[in-house]
Amino acid sequence: MSGHHHRRQTCRLCGGGHLTMVLSLVPTPPANAFVPAAELDQAQERFPLDLFFCEDCAHVQLLDVVDPRVLFENYVYVSGTSPVFVRHFQSYADDVLARFQVPAGSLVVDVGSNDGTLLSCFARAGMRVQGIDPARDIAAAATASGIPTIADFFTPALAASIRAGHGPAKVVTANNVFAHVDDLTGVVDGVRAVLDQDGVFVFEVSYLVDVFEKTLFDTIYHEHLAYHSVQPLIRFLDANGLELIEALRVDSHGGSLRGIAQPKGGPRVVGASVAEAVALERRLGLVKAETFHAFARDIAERKRQLGEL
């Protein structure tokens, strides 16, 4: 066990201790840890890559947690370099603003805002914006480009200070972040702290349905701690003061889930998309460990075929 990694013993969503390993991949270094040519002969630190199923709430996750500073403080991936992603974020912002009739001048907070691509879409529509991202160089570049970005990890204390300085947010977004954080309860506590009572929390994550149906085992890596499905999320958000009101499927990253939540007791009714997603997950068997044992056997067979090829 290195100083850069630990293994948790409980489910990240429900806190339960009944966890079944369903897939064990070969331990590897972090996905984006590219090394200069001069260091190719030095051994890189490797971390376990084992997938677990929670028997209590059906959440699928990694329990081995690599220190987020190792993964994210010198992060290299930038959204704005991908034209596909720029278009995705523009339609995302347009959809949120239209769906919820967000008044001009409202505060939009993006957790894990990267280079500010999404927030720039909200800013052009007349919103006040605030980014938060621990990747220091990327955060500094975003601020210099006109999207104010705090170079830090998102915490309830940081959320409270944003609210004190700027007022409550009508929209909080988190894209490909909600699957990358070990302490999801802390993130949700922060969202509640900054979100207006009639505001919405919108998050996008890789969707377990797509990972399973398309055998997307290349999306299983150390940054990606949680493999979200809707049924466990409903229970988790409810236990933490939020209500899931939409569960929308989108095309990004091979197939993602766009969840929309409001503070409990908020003004909006729960959309049909939530029950439809739960029904699909049950039909596919994503609520039992055996389904993922079969998934592991399928991956092993792909490996064998590739070796033969």
Side-chain angles (χ1 to χ4, degrees), residues 95-162:
D95 178 67
V96 170
L97 293 172
R99 188 184 285 267
F100 300 111
Q101 300 293 300
V102 184
S106 297
L107 179 65
V108 178
V109 173
D110 190 17
V111 180
S113 51
N114 194 261
D115 63 356
T117 299
L118 175 60
L119 284 180
S120 65
C121 301
F122 283 109
R124 283 194 297 274
M127 304 296 147
R128 293 178 297 128
V129 299
Q130 177 65 61
I132 301 128
D133 199 293
R136 291 167 302 204
D137 294 349
I138 295 175
T143 299
S145 77
I147 302 297
T149 305
I150 299 165
D152 206 345
F153 290 97
F154 183 65
T155 61
L158 179 59
S161 74
I162 291 170

Side-chain angles (χ1 to χ4, degrees), residues 189-243:
D189 288 346
V191 169
R192 271 204 335 278
V194 75
L195 192 61
D196 213 344
Q197 183 56 32
D198 65 350
V200 287
F201 171 46
V202 187
F203 60 94
E204 241 177 49
V205 288
S206 171
Y207 190 22
L208 184 62
V209 165
D210 292 289
V211 175
F212 173 73
E213 287 193 318
K214 301 171 190 171
T215 324
L216 300 178
F217 58 90
D218 60 309
T219 65
I220 300 169
Y221 52 94
H222 297 104
E223 286 163 21
H224 196 170
L225 294 169
Y227 299 80
H228 284 298
S229 54
V230 172
Q231 183 169 307
L233 276 170
I234 293 170
R235 174 175 163 177
F236 168 72
L237 291 169
D238 182 71
N240 290 283
L242 294 177
E243 177 181 34

Side-chain angles (χ1 to χ4, degrees), residues 166-179:
H166 303 282
K170 289 292 185 192
V171 180
V172 177
T173 55
N175 303 297
N176 307 301
V177 170
F178 216 51

Side-chain angles (χ1 to χ4, degrees), residues 268-289:
R268 299 175 184 88
V269 298
V270 177
S273 62
V274 176
E276 287 164 6
V278 171
L280 172 65
E281 292 164 10
R282 290 188 167 171
R283 206 158 59 242
L284 291 172
L286 302 187
V287 292
K288 54 183 195 284

